[in-house]
């Protein structure tokens, strides 16, 4: 079989990043190798996100650009997978007739046979059928050896929470947890291949194992992962506040590899809005969880998501959100303007907030958070942080980049005789602070492995940037 090339464009959350790697594994037996150059690809795959209207628009505008590519090279195969594919199905090929394959989130495992069908029969295929009972959630196969130190590992798929604004339960289905043995085996394999930090991912990781009865809940899973030799750091995301148990909070104190950072989306500071969102907790409940976390791990970084302009959000509701943001003092916030999604209950709610008001509220809250973030980052100047080296920095070719345990990005320049390598944990002195990153200097501390606990970050000095783009 002739060697071929696949170019994957990944949009959306970490779940999609993970799924794109699975696509590469699935396509390897068909002799497809990854290429970063779209022009050289025989197969172009878009792994899409439907969380907000803007994300969906991005898919169609990218597909618009591919019309010309397909005209020039009619043999190229274009596939659309992920959450928009699952949501749109046949509508997608009607709107974009140059697409050859539409494969929904449950059809991922069937991608090789869909590609073969297009290759052999030269016809369009759409597969948004459910996952077959015997089809696994995870595809075993080679680990692609890009030089990297961190990896995502999906531990559960889907969501049962049905927040009234959210499309995820419809495009990813009901909650299913993977077996603990399978997850641990995958992490061991990653560690053997140089990975030093894993992020366990799922829409609501705190609910891991509650439904499937694998005899292992999330805190127990974390304990097992913590025992894996060679692994240095564990992260997880996303946590739903209503399922954040005391045992999980205690894990931040008990487990040495669990980093002091939690992403805990609050969505709103108003009880009335939280009820209409069907979040299952009130403002005070959330604040109590934050207090417990800070008691157990005073250096913990807390980041969050907030939706601005949920239908019916009044000025007082928004002020309650601003108040909560000031009270908690988040390290970083992801702010989203509410947008209607097809089929979700909130799309039918009346009292939609006008775009102009959403815009004003968005800027107000952004400004409040920016001050916090910068203040917290500046408080770090002069301290030494433990940085896991991830690779070259995006900002400059001469710089390396890594993250602190609290997930702050640190860029630093290394000497010409450098022995620093990807996957190493280094002590780096912080010399300058910006709103999205820190500038560090590894000089003077030696380049030995550093095993300090948290590098002296105080709670009042938490930071920005969770590092993903929904
Ligand atoms: N499972 C995670 C979040 C997944 S979606 C959780 O429950 O926390 C990521 C974020 O997108 C959400 O936290 C929410 O803030 C935002 N979001 C989801 N649906 C949205 C919508 N219709 N409009 C605007 N933001 C939305
Ligand atoms: Fe969506 Fe809510 Fe589930 Fe998160 S918990 S994925 S916001 S339904
Ligand atoms: Fe987007 Fe699907 Fe993730 S809708 S946020 S890619 S689960």
């Amino acid at each position: 079989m002739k060697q071929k090339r696949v170019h994957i464009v990944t949009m959306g959350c970490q779940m999609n990043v993970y799924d794109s790697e699975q696509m590469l594994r699935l396509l390897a037996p068909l002799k497809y190798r990854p290429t970063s150059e779209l022009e050289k690809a025989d197969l172009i795959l878009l792994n899409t996100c439907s969380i907000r209207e803007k994300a969906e628009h991005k898919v169609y505008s990218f597909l618009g650009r591919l019309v010309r590519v397909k005209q020039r090279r009619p043999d190229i195969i274009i596939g659309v997978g992920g959450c928009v594919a699952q949501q749109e199905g046949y509508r997608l090929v009607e709107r974009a007739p140059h697409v050859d394959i539409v494969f929904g989130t449950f059809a991922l495992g069937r991608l090789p046979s869909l590609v073969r069908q297009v290759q052999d029969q030269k016809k369009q295929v759409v597969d948004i059928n459910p996952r077959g009972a015997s089809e696994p959630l995870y595809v075993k196969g080679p680990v692609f050896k890009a030089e990297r130190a961190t990896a995502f590992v999906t531990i559960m798929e889907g969501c049962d929470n049905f927040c009234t604004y959210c499309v995820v339960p419809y495009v990813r289905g009901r909650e299913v947890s993977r077996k603990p043995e399978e997850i641990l085996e995958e992490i061991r394999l990653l560690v053997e291949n140089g990975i030093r930090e894993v992020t366990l991912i799922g829409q609501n990781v705190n609910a891991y194992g509650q439904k499937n009865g694998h005899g292992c809940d999330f805190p127990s899973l974390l304990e097992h992962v913590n025992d894996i030799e060679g692994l240095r750091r564990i992260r997880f995301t996303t946590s739903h506040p209503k399922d954040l148990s005391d045992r999980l909070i205690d894990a931040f104190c008990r487990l040495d590899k669990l980093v002091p950072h939690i992403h805990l989306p609050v969505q709103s500071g108003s009880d009335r809005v939280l009820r209409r969102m069907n979040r299952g907790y009130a403002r005070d409940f959330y604040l109590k969880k934050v207090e417990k976390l800070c008691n157990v791990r005073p250096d913990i970084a807390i980041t969050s998501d907030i939706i601005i302009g949920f239908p019916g959000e009044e000025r007082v509701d928004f002020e309650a959100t601003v108040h909560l943001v000031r009270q908690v003092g988040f390290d970083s916030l992801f702010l989203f303007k509410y947008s209607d999604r097809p089929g979700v209950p909130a799309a039918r709610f009346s009292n939609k907030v006008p775009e102009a008001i959403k815009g004003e509220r968005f800027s107000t809250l952004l400004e409040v958070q920016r001050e916090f973030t910068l203040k917290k980052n500046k408080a770090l100047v002069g301290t030494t942080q433990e940085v896991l080296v991830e690779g070259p920095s995006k900002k400059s070719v001469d710089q390396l980049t890594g993250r602190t345990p609290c997930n702050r990005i640190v860029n630093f320049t290394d000497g010409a005789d450098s022995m620093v390598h990807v996957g190493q944990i280094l002590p780096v002195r912080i010399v300058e602070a910006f709103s999205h990153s820190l500038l560090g200097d590894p000089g003077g501390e030696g380049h030995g492995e550093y095993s300090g606990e948290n590098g002296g970050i105080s709670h009042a000095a938490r930071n920005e940037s969770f590092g993903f783009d929904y």
Side-chain angles (χ1 to χ4, degrees), residues 51 159-163 165-169 203-204 240 267 279:
I51 201 76
C159 185
D160 287 358
N161 287 323
F162 290 95
C163 302
Y165 50 83
C166 185
V167 79
V168 170
Q203 296 302 341
N204 177 13
H240 195 300
Q267 312 298 359
R279 285 294 285 178

Side-chain angles (χ1 to χ4, degrees), residues 315-355:
R315 183 88 220 157
V316 285
D317 299 310
F318 174 66
E319 276 161 9
T321 302
V322 176
H323 185 224
L324 180 134
V325 167
R326 289 191 188 280
Q327 237 176 315
V328 176
F330 291 109
D331 292 82
S332 141
L333 267 187
F334 290 87
L335 303 181
F336 305 109
K337 288 183 205 160
Y338 169 82
S339 73
D340 276 343
R341 303 313 297 133
V344 308
R348 297 187 300 273
F349 289 2
S350 51
N351 300 334
K352 294 279 158 62
V353 176
E355 282 307 312

Side-chain angles (χ1 to χ4, degrees), residues 13-14 49-53 158-159 161 163-168 202-205 237-241 263-267 277 279 281 304-308 310 334-341 344 346 358 468 470:
C13 67
Q14 303 96 322
C49 173
S50 166
I51 201 76
R52 281 169 294 277
E53 211 175 1
C159 185
N161 287 323
C163 302
T164 52
Y165 50 83
C166 185
V167 79
V168 170
Q203 296 302 341
N204 177 13
V205 288
T237 193
T238 302
S239 302
H240 195 300
H263 186 62
L264 196 62
V266 63
Q267 312 298 359
M277 286 177 163
R279 285 294 285 178
Y281 56 84
S304 199
D305 292 347
I306 284 177
I307 296 179
I308 311 268
F310 184 77
F334 290 87
L335 303 181
F336 305 109
K337 288 183 205 160
Y338 169 82
S339 73
D340 276 343
R341 303 313 297 133
V344 308
K358 279 189 216 167
F468 57 85
Y470 285 117

Side-chain angles (χ1 to χ4, degrees), residues 6-10 23 27 43-47 77-81 101 103 111 115:
V6 54
H7 177 80
I8 306 187
V9 180
T10 308
M23 290 177 198
L27 292 168
L43 170 65
I44 298 173
L45 295 177
L46 262 64
N47 196 1
I77 300 175
I78 299 174
V80 182
I101 309 171
F103 59 110
L111 180 61
V115 171

